[in-house]
mmCIF file of all heavy atoms in Angstrom:
data_model
loop_
_atom_site.group_PDB
_atom_site.id
_atom_site.type_symbol
_atom_site.label_atom_id
_atom_site.label_comp_id
_atom_site.label_asym_id
_atom_site.label_seq_id
_atom_site.Cartn_x
_atom_site.Cartn_y
_atom_site.Cartn_z
ATOM 1 N N VAL M 1 8.555 -1.055 0.266
ATOM 2 C CA VAL M 1 7.315 -1.884 -0.038
ATOM 3 C C VAL M 1 6.159 -0.875 -0.313
ATOM 4 O O VAL M 1 5.418 -1.008 -1.265
ATOM 5 C CB VAL M 1 6.927 -2.771 1.168
ATOM 6 C CG1 VAL M 1 5.528 -3.345 1.042
ATOM 7 C CG2 VAL M 1 7.961 -3.935 1.271
ATOM 8 N N GLU M 2 5.989 0.127 0.554
ATOM 9 C CA GLU M 2 5.001 1.106 0.376
ATOM 10 C C GLU M 2 5.129 1.840 -0.936
ATOM 11 O O GLU M 2 4.151 2.028 -1.734
ATOM 12 C CB GLU M 2 5.020 2.141 1.527
ATOM 13 C CG GLU M 2 3.849 3.037 1.633
ATOM 14 C CD GLU M 2 4.107 4.428 1.032
ATOM 15 O OE1 GLU M 2 5.254 4.764 0.670
ATOM 16 O OE2 GLU M 2 3.139 5.171 0.925
ATOM 17 N N HIS M 3 6.306 2.245 -1.286
ATOM 18 C CA HIS M 3 6.550 2.937 -2.552
ATOM 19 C C HIS M 3 6.212 2.066 -3.743
ATOM 20 O O HIS M 3 5.520 2.490 -4.706
ATOM 21 C CB HIS M 3 7.973 3.428 -2.645
ATOM 22 C CG HIS M 3 8.279 4.157 -3.904
ATOM 23 N ND1 HIS M 3 8.811 3.626 -5.046
ATOM 24 C CD2 HIS M 3 8.116 5.506 -4.193
ATOM 25 C CE1 HIS M 3 8.972 4.520 -5.979
ATOM 26 N NE2 HIS M 3 8.534 5.684 -5.466
ATOM 27 N N ASP M 4 6.667 0.822 -3.706
ATOM 28 C CA ASP M 4 6.404 -0.110 -4.823
ATOM 29 C C ASP M 4 4.836 -0.389 -5.005
ATOM 30 O O ASP M 4 4.401 -0.496 -6.138
ATOM 31 C CB ASP M 4 7.139 -1.464 -4.632
ATOM 32 C CG ASP M 4 8.668 -1.314 -4.889
ATOM 33 O OD1 ASP M 4 9.071 -0.252 -5.409
ATOM 34 O OD2 ASP M 4 9.373 -2.213 -4.522
ATOM 35 N N LEU M 5 4.161 -0.497 -3.861
ATOM 36 C CA LEU M 5 2.770 -0.789 -3.992
ATOM 37 C C LEU M 5 1.940 0.449 -4.369
ATOM 38 O O LEU M 5 0.986 0.361 -5.180
ATOM 39 C CB LEU M 5 2.239 -1.335 -2.665
ATOM 40 C CG LEU M 5 2.707 -2.781 -2.343
ATOM 41 C CD1 LEU M 5 2.193 -3.137 -0.929
ATOM 42 C CD2 LEU M 5 2.180 -3.762 -3.355
ATOM 43 N N VAL M 6 2.237 1.600 -3.780
ATOM 44 C CA VAL M 6 1.432 2.768 -3.987
ATOM 45 C C VAL M 6 1.761 3.483 -5.292
ATOM 46 O O VAL M 6 0.883 3.893 -6.017
ATOM 47 C CB VAL M 6 1.571 3.755 -2.803
ATOM 48 C CG1 VAL M 6 0.825 5.057 -3.069
ATOM 49 C CG2 VAL M 6 1.014 3.106 -1.520
ATOM 50 N N TYR M 7 3.045 3.590 -5.571
ATOM 51 C CA TYR M 7 3.476 4.403 -6.778
ATOM 52 C C TYR M 7 3.774 3.554 -7.972
ATOM 53 O O TYR M 7 3.953 4.089 -9.059
ATOM 54 C CB TYR M 7 4.705 5.322 -6.389
ATOM 55 C CG TYR M 7 4.315 6.268 -5.278
ATOM 56 C CD1 TYR M 7 4.787 6.104 -4.026
ATOM 57 C CD2 TYR M 7 3.484 7.342 -5.565
ATOM 58 C CE1 TYR M 7 4.427 6.978 -3.006
ATOM 59 C CE2 TYR M 7 3.169 8.285 -4.588
ATOM 60 C CZ TYR M 7 3.654 8.091 -3.299
ATOM 61 O OH TYR M 7 3.281 8.983 -2.320
ATOM 62 N N LYS M 8 3.900 2.270 -7.822
ATOM 63 C CA LYS M 8 4.186 1.419 -8.952
ATOM 64 C C LYS M 8 3.209 0.172 -8.952
ATOM 65 O O LYS M 8 3.676 -0.948 -8.989
ATOM 66 C CB LYS M 8 5.601 0.899 -8.902
ATOM 67 C CG LYS M 8 6.697 1.977 -8.954
ATOM 68 C CD LYS M 8 8.067 1.379 -8.873
ATOM 69 C CE LYS M 8 9.111 2.435 -8.796
ATOM 70 N NZ LYS M 8 10.442 1.863 -8.642
ATOM 71 N N PRO M 9 1.948 0.418 -8.852
ATOM 72 C CA PRO M 9 1.025 -0.738 -8.773
ATOM 73 C C PRO M 9 1.022 -1.517 -10.089
ATOM 74 O O PRO M 9 0.921 -0.930 -11.162
ATOM 75 C CB PRO M 9 -0.317 -0.072 -8.498
ATOM 76 C CG PRO M 9 -0.233 1.323 -8.997
ATOM 77 C CD PRO M 9 1.264 1.673 -8.836
ATOM 78 N N THR M 10 1.270 -2.795 -9.966
ATOM 79 C CA THR M 10 1.248 -3.656 -11.208
ATOM 80 C C THR M 10 -0.112 -4.145 -11.610
ATOM 81 O O THR M 10 -0.245 -4.605 -12.753
ATOM 82 C CB THR M 10 2.206 -4.825 -10.981
ATOM 83 O OG1 THR M 10 1.741 -5.565 -9.822
ATOM 84 C CG2 THR M 10 3.658 -4.396 -10.726
ATOM 85 N N SER M 11 -1.046 -4.061 -10.699
ATOM 86 C CA SER M 11 -2.376 -4.599 -11.070
ATOM 87 C C SER M 11 -3.475 -3.677 -10.584
ATOM 88 O O SER M 11 -4.432 -4.104 -9.898
ATOM 89 C CB SER M 11 -2.552 -5.975 -10.492
ATOM 90 O OG SER M 11 -2.387 -5.960 -9.105
ATOM 91 N N GLY M 12 -3.311 -2.378 -10.834
ATOM 92 C CA GLY M 12 -4.396 -1.450 -10.500
ATOM 93 C C GLY M 12 -4.159 -0.717 -9.147
ATOM 94 O O GLY M 12 -3.206 -0.926 -8.493
ATOM 95 N N LYS M 13 -5.166 0.124 -8.868
ATOM 96 C CA LYS M 13 -5.112 0.980 -7.635
ATOM 97 C C LYS M 13 -5.334 0.074 -6.418
ATOM 98 O O LYS M 13 -6.116 -0.862 -6.408
ATOM 99 C CB LYS M 13 -6.178 2.028 -7.772
ATOM 100 C CG LYS M 13 -6.133 3.053 -6.635
ATOM 101 C CD LYS M 13 -7.119 4.161 -6.953
ATOM 102 C CE LYS M 13 -7.436 5.103 -5.806
ATOM 103 N NZ LYS M 13 -6.430 5.555 -4.963
ATOM 104 N N LEU M 14 -4.649 0.400 -5.313
ATOM 105 C CA LEU M 14 -4.726 -0.382 -4.079
ATOM 106 C C LEU M 14 -6.155 -0.181 -3.481
ATOM 107 O O LEU M 14 -6.759 0.945 -3.556
ATOM 108 C CB LEU M 14 -3.706 0.055 -3.032
ATOM 109 C CG LEU M 14 -2.277 -0.217 -3.416
ATOM 110 C CD1 LEU M 14 -1.372 0.220 -2.303
ATOM 111 C CD2 LEU M 14 -2.010 -1.637 -3.798
ATOM 112 N N SER M 15 -6.636 -1.197 -2.792
ATOM 113 C CA SER M 15 -7.911 -1.149 -2.116
ATOM 114 C C SER M 15 -7.770 -0.444 -0.787
ATOM 115 O O SER M 15 -6.622 -0.276 -0.284
ATOM 116 C CB SER M 15 -8.465 -2.530 -1.940
ATOM 117 O OG SER M 15 -7.648 -3.263 -0.992
ATOM 118 N N GLU M 16 -8.891 -0.073 -0.158
ATOM 119 C CA GLU M 16 -8.835 0.485 1.136
ATOM 120 C C GLU M 16 -8.192 -0.484 2.165
ATOM 121 O O GLU M 16 -7.458 -0.032 3.031
ATOM 122 C CB GLU M 16 -10.246 0.901 1.637
ATOM 123 C CG GLU M 16 -10.790 2.156 0.992
ATOM 124 C CD GLU M 16 -12.143 2.492 1.637
ATOM 125 O OE1 GLU M 16 -12.323 2.336 2.827
ATOM 126 O OE2 GLU M 16 -12.984 3.011 0.845
ATOM 127 N N ASP M 17 -8.460 -1.762 2.007
ATOM 128 C CA ASP M 17 -7.884 -2.814 2.861
ATOM 129 C C ASP M 17 -6.366 -2.829 2.744
ATOM 130 O O ASP M 17 -5.695 -2.929 3.730
ATOM 131 C CB ASP M 17 -8.504 -4.152 2.575
ATOM 132 C CG ASP M 17 -8.233 -5.140 3.632
ATOM 133 O OD1 ASP M 17 -8.240 -4.765 4.857
ATOM 134 O OD2 ASP M 17 -7.986 -6.341 3.299
ATOM 135 N N GLU M 18 -5.902 -2.713 1.502
ATOM 136 C CA GLU M 18 -4.456 -2.708 1.314
ATOM 137 C C GLU M 18 -3.765 -1.475 1.923
ATOM 138 O O GLU M 18 -2.716 -1.551 2.536
ATOM 139 C CB GLU M 18 -4.130 -2.780 -0.190
ATOM 140 C CG GLU M 18 -4.457 -4.181 -0.764
ATOM 141 C CD GLU M 18 -4.401 -4.187 -2.303
ATOM 142 O OE1 GLU M 18 -5.001 -3.286 -2.905
ATOM 143 O OE2 GLU M 18 -3.741 -5.120 -2.822
ATOM 144 N N TYR M 19 -4.421 -0.333 1.807
ATOM 145 C CA TYR M 19 -3.939 0.864 2.451
ATOM 146 C C TYR M 19 -3.921 0.701 4.002
ATOM 147 O O TYR M 19 -3.004 1.097 4.707
ATOM 148 C CB TYR M 19 -4.772 2.137 2.079
ATOM 149 C CG TYR M 19 -4.341 2.711 0.744
ATOM 150 C CD1 TYR M 19 -5.217 2.681 -0.384
ATOM 151 C CD2 TYR M 19 -3.124 3.296 0.595
ATOM 152 C CE1 TYR M 19 -4.862 3.232 -1.543
ATOM 153 C CE2 TYR M 19 -2.718 3.866 -0.653
ATOM 154 C CZ TYR M 19 -3.614 3.813 -1.697
ATOM 155 O OH TYR M 19 -3.232 4.374 -2.903
ATOM 156 N N ALA M 20 -4.994 0.090 4.516
ATOM 157 C CA ALA M 20 -5.087 -0.140 5.953
ATOM 158 C C ALA M 20 -3.951 -1.085 6.403
ATOM 159 O O ALA M 20 -3.350 -0.865 7.477
ATOM 160 C CB ALA M 20 -6.441 -0.717 6.346
ATOM 161 N N ILE M 21 -3.677 -2.100 5.616
ATOM 162 C CA ILE M 21 -2.598 -2.997 5.964
ATOM 163 C C ILE M 21 -1.239 -2.278 5.953
ATOM 164 O O ILE M 21 -0.393 -2.497 6.838
ATOM 165 C CB ILE M 21 -2.540 -4.207 5.017
ATOM 166 C CG1 ILE M 21 -3.809 -5.088 5.230
ATOM 167 C CG2 ILE M 21 -1.297 -5.057 5.184
ATOM 168 C CD1 ILE M 21 -4.043 -6.142 4.179
ATOM 169 N N LEU M 22 -1.063 -1.424 4.989
ATOM 170 C CA LEU M 22 0.192 -0.582 4.977
ATOM 171 C C LEU M 22 0.308 0.271 6.199
ATOM 172 O O LEU M 22 1.376 0.385 6.798
ATOM 173 C CB LEU M 22 0.225 0.290 3.657
ATOM 174 C CG LEU M 22 0.612 -0.420 2.399
ATOM 175 C CD1 LEU M 22 0.419 0.526 1.205
ATOM 176 C CD2 LEU M 22 2.075 -0.950 2.447
ATOM 177 N N ASP M 23 -0.803 0.839 6.625
ATOM 178 C CA ASP M 23 -0.827 1.681 7.799
ATOM 179 C C ASP M 23 -0.488 0.777 9.084
ATOM 180 O O ASP M 23 0.294 1.183 9.913
ATOM 181 C CB ASP M 23 -2.197 2.342 8.055
ATOM 182 C CG ASP M 23 -2.396 3.531 7.155
ATOM 183 O OD1 ASP M 23 -1.404 4.011 6.561
ATOM 184 O OD2 ASP M 23 -3.571 3.980 7.006
ATOM 185 N N GLU M 24 -1.020 -0.420 9.082
ATOM 186 C CA GLU M 24 -0.734 -1.334 10.211
ATOM 187 C C GLU M 24 0.759 -1.700 10.219
ATOM 188 O O GLU M 24 1.377 -1.696 11.299
ATOM 189 C CB GLU M 24 -1.526 -2.614 10.067
ATOM 190 C CG GLU M 24 -3.045 -2.455 10.353
ATOM 191 C CD GLU M 24 -3.823 -3.672 9.977
ATOM 192 O OE1 GLU M 24 -3.255 -4.751 9.628
ATOM 193 O OE2 GLU M 24 -5.074 -3.620 10.050
ATOM 194 N N LEU M 25 1.298 -1.994 9.041
ATOM 195 C CA LEU M 25 2.738 -2.290 8.964
ATOM 196 C C LEU M 25 3.575 -1.129 9.369
ATOM 197 O O LEU M 25 4.561 -1.296 10.086
ATOM 198 C CB LEU M 25 3.064 -2.755 7.528
ATOM 199 C CG LEU M 25 2.572 -4.131 7.091
ATOM 200 C CD1 LEU M 25 2.819 -4.314 5.647
ATOM 201 C CD2 LEU M 25 3.284 -5.189 7.932
ATOM 202 N N ASN M 26 3.159 0.068 9.028
ATOM 203 C CA ASN M 26 3.890 1.289 9.422
ATOM 204 C C ASN M 26 3.900 1.333 10.962
ATOM 205 O O ASN M 26 4.938 1.630 11.564
ATOM 206 C CB ASN M 26 3.287 2.493 8.827
ATOM 207 C CG ASN M 26 4.141 3.723 9.043
ATOM 208 O OD1 ASN M 26 5.328 3.685 9.181
ATOM 209 N ND2 ASN M 26 3.470 4.854 9.177
ATOM 210 N N GLY M 27 2.768 1.110 11.571
ATOM 211 C CA GLY M 27 2.687 1.104 13.041
ATOM 212 C C GLY M 27 3.623 0.062 13.639
ATOM 213 O O GLY M 27 4.273 0.358 14.674
ATOM 214 N N LEU M 28 3.632 -1.103 13.068
ATOM 215 C CA LEU M 28 4.468 -2.162 13.585
ATOM 216 C C LEU M 28 5.971 -1.797 13.467
ATOM 217 O O LEU M 28 6.754 -2.057 14.306
ATOM 218 C CB LEU M 28 4.205 -3.501 12.823
ATOM 219 C CG LEU M 28 2.840 -4.147 13.181
ATOM 220 C CD1 LEU M 28 2.622 -5.305 12.214
ATOM 221 C CD2 LEU M 28 2.781 -4.643 14.570
#
């Protein structure tokens, strides 16, 4: 999921909130 969102964004660069959510998911 992280790779697809960060390295293959289909609709632009991720927002800070999206990066924060990825970090939260990583923690979970």
